[in-house]
Every structure is written in C-alpha cells, then in structure tokens.
C-alpha cells in the first residue's frame, strides 16, 4: 500500500503459496486481472520499493479480483469430451484478450473445495489433444456459466 491506496482499493494484491518457492508468489495484474509471478514482497522488504504490505484474507483478495474483473469482456465456453455424443458438461472456461493485444488469457473454474478461476489450457488441448481424451469447447453465455458454477456450489 501507499498513501493513495487502502485495503479495499489496493495498488495490487500479492498471494503466497506456502512451500512453492519463488513460483508461489503471485501478483494480481491490474490490467489483465491475472496472477503473475512477482518479487514485489522481496523488493518491499529490502526497501527498493517504497510500499508496505498489509495481510488480507483469501476472501478479501478474491473480492478485490472480482471487482477488477468487472471491466473485462470474457468469452465463455463449456468443456465437453469430444468423443461424448451427450455433450455432458465437464467444466467451464473463460477467455479474454490481453491488455497489450498480443495474447489470449484463459481460465477454468475449479469447484468443490477451491471454488475459483485458475489458469487453464483447455483451448490448446482441444486443438492439439492431450492424454486419453480430447476436450471440446462449445461457446456459451455468462448466464449458463454462472448457473453451472452455482450448481457446483450447491446453491
């Protein structure tokens, strides 16, 4: 944080995954609302960056991310097994264009105990195959995806 930012409206959010080493420290990119590797906490600790880190809960971090996500135009898809004629939904994916315009980001919703969007490569898997099954992505709308997520949560 700095003088212009609060816990409710932070400059950035950093999350640390215990026992993951340097790869376990991620910063939430404000532009693309994506977790990226960072050394920010180390730079704050050494005084290189004139900021201070304030601990927040995972729930607070997810709320901040959800607020920042509102400005992103997502494209949604349901994931099915390419060989399954019933097209039973195996998951949901969202994609969006990078702020620099040079890439497309993708996340899949992980339910049950995790209940959040995490990095994914289902589009690549659907185009090039992987393992025993090949996923197929079927474009859908946000309402369908939210209905699927609510069902996972048991709402």
């Amino acid at each position: 944080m700095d003088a212009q930012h609060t816990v409710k409206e932070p400059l950035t959010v950093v999350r640390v995954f215990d026992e993951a080493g340097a790869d376990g420290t991620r910063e939430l990119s404000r532009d693309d609302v994506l977790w990226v590797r960072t050394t920010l906490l180390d730079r704050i600790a050494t005084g290189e960056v004139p900021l201070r880190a304030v601990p927040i809960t995972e729930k607070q971090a997810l709320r901040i991310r959800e607020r920042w996500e509102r400005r992103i135009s997502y494209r949604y898809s349901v994931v099915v097994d390419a060989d399954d004629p019933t097209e039973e939904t195996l998951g949901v994916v969202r994609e969006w264009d990078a702020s620099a315009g040079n890439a497309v980001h993708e996340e899949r919703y992980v339910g049950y105990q995790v209940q959040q969007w995490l990095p994914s490569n289902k589009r690549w898997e659907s185009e090039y195959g992987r393992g025993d099954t090949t996923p197929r992505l079927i474009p859908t709308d946000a309402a369908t995806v939210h209905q699927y997520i609510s069902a996972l949560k048991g709402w």
Side-chain angles (χ1 to χ4, degrees), residues 121-131 133-135:
N121 59 358
K122 291 296 182 193
R123 173 77 55 199
W124 185 90
E125 290 174 10
S126 71
E127 292 175 8
Y128 300 104
R130 176 179 173 249
T133 62
T134 300

Side-chain angles (χ1 to χ4, degrees), residues 85-107:
T86 66
E87 295 186 341
E88 180 183 346
T89 301
L90 302 174
V92 290
V93 167
R94 66 182 182 185
E95 299 171 290
W96 68 103
D97 298 321
S99 60
N102 60 351
V104 174
H105 299 301
E106 176 186 320
E107 293 179 322

Side-chain angles (χ1 to χ4, degrees), residues 1-3 5-8 10-16 40-41 44 51-58 60-61 64:
M1 286 185 9
D2 61 12
H5 296 88
T6 66
V7 170
K8 288 187 178 182
L11 178 63
T12 192
V13 176
V14 176
R15 69 192 301 182
V16 178
L40 182 60
L41 293 179
I44 290 171
L51 300 173
R52 65 185 174 94
V54 176
I56 61 173
T57 65
E58 183 175 359
Q60 288 173 303
I64 292 165

